[in-house]
């Protein structure tokens, strides 16, 4: 059993690592009001460059650090120049989505180059530990602390005494005014992306050495931790990000000490949600500060939606309905069943993200709640599967809305962060609540789909069942959007202050949207559970949330037909072109990037 | 223009500006003579502030030309335009609120690299704006509106501009500071800096300006020397947005 001092040292060391990521996020947020979701990918790239340098090129440690910093900075500069600068004048959601797309692409490129298998990253430092008080400290701990402190010092000197540093600070406070002083904001953007990437890359390498292991799953975790630390410290606040990181490291370390390793991330995300709800501007923000997010109006690309005549929709429905009567392969039906399930999730997300403007990055959690509820109802309480699925939908609606409701007062990027955190929390609770969810083992032997006592086992019957459920949900949602309720949703999305001034209760309408959306997603998850017969806490992950978001943007935010079209396109096309599974995520990332750049309103337009 | 006016430093010729479908400027032509104070008057939504943004390159016109000292500014970025010698005092001052007063003033010299001369100019600003001396290390955001206006003007002067454009320099200031600001604008001008200012308060602006233009829904409806315009009865109707121009 380690001592408390050990946990404190560990917390501070891990906090130092987080700080290297979070400071970069804070710099970028300060200058361009953007949460860079690709930060973790640069951290990943840094770790693998470190591996190449240490294991293949046998570089000495100081040189390794320099190589990683420079290489990562170059990646950062490329991202800024080709991924984000073209989006400067587009809607505010565009760069956020672009960084998500970039992170998919980078992660997959690393995975394809180095394989997903973990690799060892030796630190080259002697494996000794010194006694300090009641705890111990090793050379690597000192290295990490040293790199953290040196970086903080260099950054301080840069921001305070260099001309470019002044430009960075001025741009962060007032971009237009800085331009009028002659500051080239593109150069400022380049500078912060370069610095952020160098710090992030070194951080990834240090973590790899600390655990003597690197793998491609590091990326998302790093982004999440960095975002938590940054938001805790106050978005855009550089010293705040350092303190937030150390705090996060300590909270996690003590949490692990008391409850065990699997609780580490749970504490991180709970801390985030608590800070978001109580002090959305961070722990150190002064009360004077205006809310950092302006109105949501320009967040989503406005457009004139493509009108699809009723007969065409009917014809499409009929064609898909009678498809199984023709000799189509099992494989085609299987693919389309996946598309219908994703379509239900997309319907849910397009309502929440598109119609009422709450861009959720944790939508897979609703799938998980529905899936677990339905599976457990049918397994332990012998509830008929049809009813159990409806139960799953209701539970998702209720629990999902309840979990998100404290975040209703947030806007823009902050909603995305909160939903991302809540998604992670749901997954972690499933992992840790063993008495109900069976923890890491997952639930197996889930009964197959059945309706009124008849099992639906043939692909044809599953196909019809899921298609019918999706169509019913789509019709309901279409009806909802044309009602006054739909108008109220859109009013809140376009200008929540004006909507409130007209007497709309934001909480009530946001709740209604999440209830409806939660039900659709829960039903989708429920059907999936019975279809897969085995689920665990990782079945419904963030990757799926992002996939759903890509589908929704592809179809056009808020667009019901677009959501279904997007699902068919994104699930179907890779199958049609027989693209190998490992390239699919890469394709999704590229699709997202191209969409944001060239058709932000999606195929059918936002509604 | 009569033969006695000096050659123009800044000229907007037949500028047409659009925000999406909506046209903001209709064949807008304005000249600022070297060494003069020129004032653009107009009510709300007349296109005054957009005119400033056009000069600074923050908004691009759809057609027309903007020249400064004979060279076209069209296609240049804002920082490039600043380097040509145009400084600005933006609407509502737009100081860097979390930076100190000293840092704010020095930010004005961002385009310069002559450290010693910058230090001298900072001293000069403190004689021109003596009140700022005690405030140098204070957060700019903590100053009063009038003091902030002083910082904004000092900041603009630090680039040693040939021209300063000001967006409503007297807006939201106490009467005492309004007089002070107008006096300072005159002083700055006497040192050789041309001034183009956008104002709502016509009577005040006309007191210090050489020439003035009246803008109404994107069109110049009146222009001439400040002395003649001051007595023109139409000026009140025009800048208050009375009768719609033809």
């Amino acid at each position: 059993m380690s001592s408390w001092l050990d946990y404190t040292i560990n917390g501070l060391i891990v906090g130092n690592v987080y700080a290297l990521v979070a400071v970069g996020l804070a710099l970028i947020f300060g200058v361009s009001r953007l949460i860079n979701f690709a930060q973790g990918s640069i951290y990943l790239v840094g770790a693998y460059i470190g591996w190449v340098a240490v294991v293949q090129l046998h570089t000495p440690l100081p040189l390794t650090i320099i190589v990683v910093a420079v290489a990562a900075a170059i990646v950062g500069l490329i991202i800024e120049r080709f991924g984000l600068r073209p989006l400067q004048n587009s809607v505010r959601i565009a760069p956020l989505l672009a960084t998500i797309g970039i992170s998919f692409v980078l992660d997959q490129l690393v995975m394809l180059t180095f394989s997903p298998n973990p690799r060892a990253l030796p630190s080259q430092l002697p494996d000794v530990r010194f006694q300090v008080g009641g705890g111990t400290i090793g050379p690597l701990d000192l290295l990490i602390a040293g790199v953290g402190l040196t970086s903080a010092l260099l950054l301080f000197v840069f921001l305070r005494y260099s001309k470019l540093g002044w430009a960075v600070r001025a741009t962060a406070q007032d971009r237009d005014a800085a331009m009028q002083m002659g500051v080239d904001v593109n150069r400022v953007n380049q500078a912060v992306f370069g610095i952020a990437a160098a710090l992030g890359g070194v951080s990834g390498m240090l973590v790899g050495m600390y655990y003597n292991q690197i793998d491609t799953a590091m990326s998302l975790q790093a982004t999440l931790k960095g975002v938590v630390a940054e938001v805790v410290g106050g978005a855009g606040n550089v010293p705040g990000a350092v303190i937030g990181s150390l705090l996060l490291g300590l909270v996690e370390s003590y949490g692990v000490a008391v409850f065990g390793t699997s609780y580490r991330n749970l504490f991180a995300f709970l801390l985030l949600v608590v800070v978001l709800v109580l002090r959305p501007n961070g722990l150190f923000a002064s009360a004077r500060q205006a809310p950092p997010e302006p109105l949501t109006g320009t967040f989503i690309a406005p457009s004139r939606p493509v009108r699809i005549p009723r007969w065409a929709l009917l014809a499409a429905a009929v064609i898909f309905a009678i498809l199984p009567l023709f000799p189509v392969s099992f494989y085609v039906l299987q693919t389309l069943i996946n598309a219908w399930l994703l379509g239900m999730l997309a319907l849910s997300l397009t309502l929440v993200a598109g119609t009422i403007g709450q861009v959720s990055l944790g939508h897979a959690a609703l799938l998980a709640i529905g899936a677990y509820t339905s599976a457990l109802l049918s397994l332990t309480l012998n509830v008929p599967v049809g009813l159990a699925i409806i139960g799953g939908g209701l539970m998702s609606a209720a629990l999902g809305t309840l979990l998100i409701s404290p975040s209703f007062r947030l806007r823009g990027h902050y909603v995305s962060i909160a939903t991302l955190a809540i998604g992670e929390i749901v997954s972690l609770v499933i992992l840790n609540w063993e008495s109900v969810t069976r923890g890491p083992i997952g639930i197996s032997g889930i009964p197959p789909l059945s309706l009124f006592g008849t099992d639906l086992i043939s692909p044809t019957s599953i196909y019809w069942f899921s298609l019918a459920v999706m169509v019913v949900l789509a019709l309901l949602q279409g009806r909802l959007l044309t009602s006054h309720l739909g108008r109220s949703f859109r009013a809140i999305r376009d200008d929540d202050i004006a909507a409130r001034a007209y007497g709309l209760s934001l909480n009530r309408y946001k709740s209604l949207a999440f209830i409806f959306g939660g039900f659709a997603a829960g039903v989708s998850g429920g059907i999936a559970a019975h279809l897969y017969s085995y689920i665990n806490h990782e079945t419904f992950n963030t990757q799926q949330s992002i996939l759903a978001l890509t589908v929704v943007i592809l179809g056009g935010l808020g667009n019901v037909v677009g959501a279904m079209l997007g699902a068919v396109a994104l699930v179907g096309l890779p199958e049609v072109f027989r693209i190998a599974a490992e390239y699919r995520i890469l394709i999704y990332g590229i699709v997202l990037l191209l969409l944001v750049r060239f058709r932000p309103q999606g195929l059918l337009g936002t509604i | 223009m009569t033969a006695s006016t000096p050659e123009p430093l800044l000229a907007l010729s037949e500028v047409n500006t659009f925000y999406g479908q909506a046209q903001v400027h209709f064949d807008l032509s304005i000249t600022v003579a070297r060494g003069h104070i020129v004032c653009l008057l107009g009510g709300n939504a007349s296109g005054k502030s957009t005119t400033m943004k056009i000069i600074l390159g923050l908004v691009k016109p759809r057609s027309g030309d903007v020249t400064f000292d004979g060279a076209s500014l069209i296609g240049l970025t804002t920082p490039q335009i600043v380097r040509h010698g145009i400084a600005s005092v933006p609407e509502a001052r737009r100081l860097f609120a979390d930076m100190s007063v000293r840092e704010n003033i020095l930010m004005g010299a961002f385009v310069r690299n002559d450290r010693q001369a910058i230090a001298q100019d900072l001293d000069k600003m403190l004689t021109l704006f003596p009140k700022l001396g005690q405030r140098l290390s204070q957060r700019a955001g903590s100053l009063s509106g009038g003091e902030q206006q002083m910082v904004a003007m000092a900041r603009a002067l630090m680039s040693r501009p040939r021209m300063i454009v000001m967006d409503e320099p007297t807006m939201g200031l106490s009467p005492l500071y309004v007089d002070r600001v107008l006096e300072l604008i005159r002083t700055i001008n006497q040192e050789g800096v041309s001034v183009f200012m956008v104002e709502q308060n016509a009577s005040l602006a006309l007191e210090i300006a050489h020439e003035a233009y009246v803008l109404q829904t994107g069109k110049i409806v009146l222009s001439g020397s400040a002395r003649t315009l001051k007595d023109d009865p139409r000026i009140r109707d025009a800048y208050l947005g009375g009768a719609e121009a033809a």
Side-chain angles (χ1 to χ4, degrees):
Chain A
M1 183 65 208
S2 312
S3 73
W4 280 101
L5 190 61
D6 274 329
Y7 282 113
T8 307
I9 291 171
N10 174 270
L12 290 175
I13 295 303
V14 173
N16 252 298
V17 167
Y18 293 158
L20 290 171
V21 177
V23 160
L25 286 170
L27 278 174
I28 291 173
F29 189 90
V31 166
S32 46
R33 297 287 175 271
L34 165 70
I35 290 165
N36 176 21
F37 277 97
Q39 187 73 0
S41 304
I42 294 169
Y43 166 100
L44 179 70
V45 169
Y48 276 87
I49 293 170
W51 180 83
V52 171
V54 170
V55 176
Q56 301 199 315
L57 306 175
H58 309 291
T59 51
L61 187 59
L63 184 61
T64 309
I65 294 176
I66 292 168
V67 166
V68 168
V70 170
I74 291 171
V75 176
L77 292 178
I78 292 173
I79 291 175
E80 191 279 329
R81 180 64 192 84
F82 298 102
L84 297 173
R85 201 179 298 175
L87 300 176
Q88 244 165 19
N89 298 318
S90 52
V91 287
R92 280 191 314 118
I93 195 178
L96 174 81
L97 296 173
T99 59
I100 293 175
I102 289 165
S103 91
F104 266 45
V105 170
L106 276 181
D107 290 0
Q108 288 305 308
L109 287 178
V110 170
M111 193 183 278
L112 291 170
T113 316
F114 294 97
S115 92
N117 301 328
R119 283 160 198 267
L121 177 55
S123 71
Q124 305 159 298
L125 290 170
D127 190 18
V128 290
R129 298 203 66 86
F130 313 109
Q131 285 289 329
V132 180
T136 64
I137 197 163
L140 190 57
D141 296 326
L142 295 173
L143 173 72
I144 291 175
V147 170
L149 288 173
T150 313
S151 311
L153 192 69
L154 285 176
L155 199 60
F156 175 81
V157 170
F158 166 73
L159 288 175
R160 180 120 312 207
Y161 299 107
S162 80
K163 205 161 173 177
L164 191 54
W166 280 43
V168 168
R169 284 196 293 149
T171 308
Q173 287 170 49
D174 192 328
R175 200 181 178 84
D176 274 2
M179 283 167 74
Q180 292 177 37
M181 298 303 119
V183 172
D184 181 348
V185 289
N186 284 333
R187 268 197 69 208
V188 168
N189 275 340
Q190 268 175 357
V192 294
F193 267 89
I195 294 169
L199 295 175
V202 170
S203 174
M205 180 205 75
L206 291 173
V207 167
M209 290 178 174
Y210 193 65
Y211 295 111
N212 193 16
Q213 181 185 319
I214 57 174
D215 65 61
T216 46
M218 291 165 65
S219 163
L220 181 67
Q221 283 304 316
T223 304
L224 293 176
K225 293 300 171 61
V227 168
V228 175
E230 196 224 348
V231 172
V232 168
N237 180 343
V238 173
V242 174
I243 299 171
S245 301
L246 296 176
L247 192 66
L248 175 64
L250 286 175
V251 166
E252 281 188 11
S253 191
Y254 294 143
V256 168
V258 177
F259 295 96
T261 322
S262 61
Y263 281 84
R264 172 181 284 272
N265 293 343
L266 192 56
F267 279 98
F269 295 117
L270 284 177
L271 178 66
L272 174 67
V273 172
V274 168
V275 170
L276 274 180
V277 170
L278 298 181
R279 304 213 50 163
N281 289 343
L283 292 180
F284 314 105
S286 52
R288 272 195 305 277
Q289 222 164 354
E293 289 285 336
L295 304 178
T296 47
T298 50
F299 205 60
I300 283 163
S303 77
R304 197 165 295 161
V306 177
R307 281 225 159 275
I308 299 172
R310 244 165 228 277
W311 61 263
L313 289 176
L314 200 66
V318 169
I319 289 171
F320 277 115
I322 61 173
L323 188 72
L325 302 178
F326 296 92
V328 289
S329 69
F330 169 75
Y331 177 70
V332 170
L333 289 185
Q334 189 67 47
T335 304
L336 284 171
I337 290 169
N338 286 337
W340 306 148
L341 290 177
L342 184 59
M344 289 175 221
L345 181 65
L347 282 173
S348 162
L349 186 57
T350 211
L351 177 73
V352 167
T355 308
I356 199 163
Q358 313 293 303
V359 178
S360 159
L361 295 180
H363 235 58
L366 296 171
L367 286 179
I369 295 172
Y372 268 86
T373 308
S374 187
L376 291 170
L377 281 177
S378 58
L379 260 181
T380 54
L381 299 178
N382 293 319
V383 175
V385 170
L387 284 179
I389 291 173
I390 293 176
L394 292 175
M395 182 59 96
S396 254
L399 201 55
T401 310
L402 191 72
L403 288 172
I404 192 70
S405 59
S407 314
F408 278 163
R409 67 204 197 95
L410 302 174
R411 291 189 191 142
H413 284 113
Y414 288 83
V415 176
S416 304
I417 298 175
T419 48
L420 188 62
I422 291 166
E424 293 294 313
I425 289 172
V426 166
S427 160
L428 290 163
V429 167
I430 290 173
L431 174 66
N432 285 301
W433 198 6
E434 288 190 28
S435 59
V436 172
T437 63
R438 305 182 192 176
I441 305 160
I443 301 179
S444 51
I446 302 169
L449 286 172
S450 71
L451 208 54
F452 308 119
T454 340
D455 282 357
L456 306 177
I457 295 177
S458 76
T460 317
S461 56
I462 297 171
Y463 175 92
W464 272 324
F465 176 73
S466 45
L467 175 64
V469 172
M470 181 186 74
V471 169
V472 169
L473 288 170
L475 289 173
L476 280 175
Q477 192 161 326
R479 181 81 192 75
L480 183 79
L481 292 187
T482 50
S483 72
H484 86 96
L485 201 58
R487 267 195 306 283
S488 306
F489 285 166
R490 286 189 290 271
I492 288 171
R493 170 191 71 192
D494 291 338
D495 190 336
D496 61 354
I497 293 175
R500 210 158 29 172
Y502 277 97
L504 296 184
S505 152
L506 297 192
N507 287 351
R508 185 178 310 158
Y509 285 100
K510 286 183 182 175
S511 301
L512 283 171
F514 273 95
I515 287 170
F516 192 91
F519 183 77
V523 165
S524 172
I527 297 175
H530 297 283
L531 199 60
Y532 303 159
S533 86
Y534 170 76
I535 53 173
N536 68 19
H537 70 283
E538 282 173 335
T539 311
F540 309 100
N541 54 21
T542 306
Q543 219 165 53
Q544 239 162 333
S545 300
I546 306 293
L547 176 60
L549 191 62
T550 312
V551 164
V552 164
I553 291 160
L554 180 64
L557 278 160
N559 196 317
V560 170
V561 179
M564 296 184 284
L565 176 73
V568 173
L570 227 50
V571 173
L573 291 183
E575 302 289 348
V576 172
F577 294 108
R578 310 263 164 184
I579 294 167
E582 59 263 39
Y583 286 96
R584 265 181 213 169
I585 304 290
L586 186 64
I587 303 274
Y588 295 149
I590 292 171
V591 166
L592 187 57
L593 277 175
L594 292 176
L595 270 177
V596 167
R597 175 80 178 82
F598 297 106
R599 201 171 163 81
Q601 74 274 40
L603 293 177
L604 298 185
T606 54
I607 293 183
Chain B
M1 290 285 148
T2 56
S4 64
T5 44
E7 56 169 310
L9 180 61
L10 175 83
L12 280 77
S13 45
E14 294 177 14
V15 167
N16 286 288
T17 316
F18 289 77
Y19 284 142
Q21 297 284 315
Q23 186 161 4
V24 184
H25 290 146
F26 298 83
D27 287 328
L28 186 71
S29 293
I30 291 173
T31 52
V32 178
R34 204 179 292 272
H36 275 198
I37 300 176
V38 174
C39 181
L40 181 64
L41 303 169
N44 289 328
S46 57
K48 295 189 312 283
S49 293
T50 305
T51 311
M52 239 193 85
K53 288 181 181 153
I54 293 274
I55 297 169
L56 291 169
L58 292 165
V59 172
K60 308 281 171 212
R62 191 172 290 179
S63 67
D65 199 8
V66 181
T67 56
F68 184 70
D69 207 7
S72 176
L73 300 181
I74 300 292
L76 298 187
T77 63
T78 305
Q80 286 168 333
I81 290 171
V82 174
R83 280 168 204 274
H84 269 67
I86 301 182
S88 67
V89 178
E91 189 180 358
R93 302 168 282 274
R94 307 284 288 268
L95 296 186
F96 305 110
D98 285 329
M99 292 169 89
S100 71
V101 170
R102 179 197 301 274
E103 286 175 326
N104 264 277
I105 297 174
L106 289 175
M107 266 312 288
F110 188 80
V111 292
R112 296 169 54 185
N113 287 313
D114 44 345
R115 278 170 166 266
Q116 282 186 334
I118 291 174
Q120 283 166 14
D121 282 2
L122 179 60
D123 290 341
K124 211 174 119 192
M125 289 310 135
L126 297 183
T127 48
L128 197 57
F129 307 95
K131 268 208 156 171
L132 298 182
Q134 314 135 30
R135 302 259 188 251
L136 277 180
S137 50
Q138 215 166 311
R139 258 183 88 248
S142 67
L143 301 187
S144 75
E147 290 170 327
Q148 289 195 11
Q149 187 66 43
M150 301 293 149
V151 177
M153 289 169 74
R155 184 177 70 173
L157 285 170
M158 284 300 287
S159 65
R160 289 200 176 165
R162 285 185 283 168
M163 186 169 109
I164 297 188
V165 293
M166 301 190 185
D167 199 346
E168 310 218 11
T170 63
M171 192 175 68
L173 298 187
S174 67
L176 202 71
Y177 267 113
V178 168
D179 289 346
R180 178 99 186 87
V181 164
L182 292 178
E183 199 47 51
L184 279 164
I185 292 174
R186 205 179 305 199
T187 314
I188 291 166
N189 177 247
Q190 276 157 5
E191 293 192 6
V193 181
S194 308
V195 175
F196 177 74
M197 58 189 269
V198 159
E199 256 300 347
Q200 284 213 44
N201 192 333
S203 54
L204 282 177
L206 289 173
E207 270 176 38
I208 60 162
H210 297 95
E211 283 95 35
Y213 291 81
V214 178
L215 190 63
Q216 192 176 49
T217 53
K219 294 172 193 133
I220 298 291
V221 293
L222 265 180
S223 65
S225 80
R227 205 170 310 145
T228 50
L229 282 181
K230 210 164 16 179
D231 305 324
D232 195 319
R234 289 174 300 172
I235 191 148
R236 251 185 59 244
D237 304 343
Y239 90 82
L240 285 175
E244 182 69 36

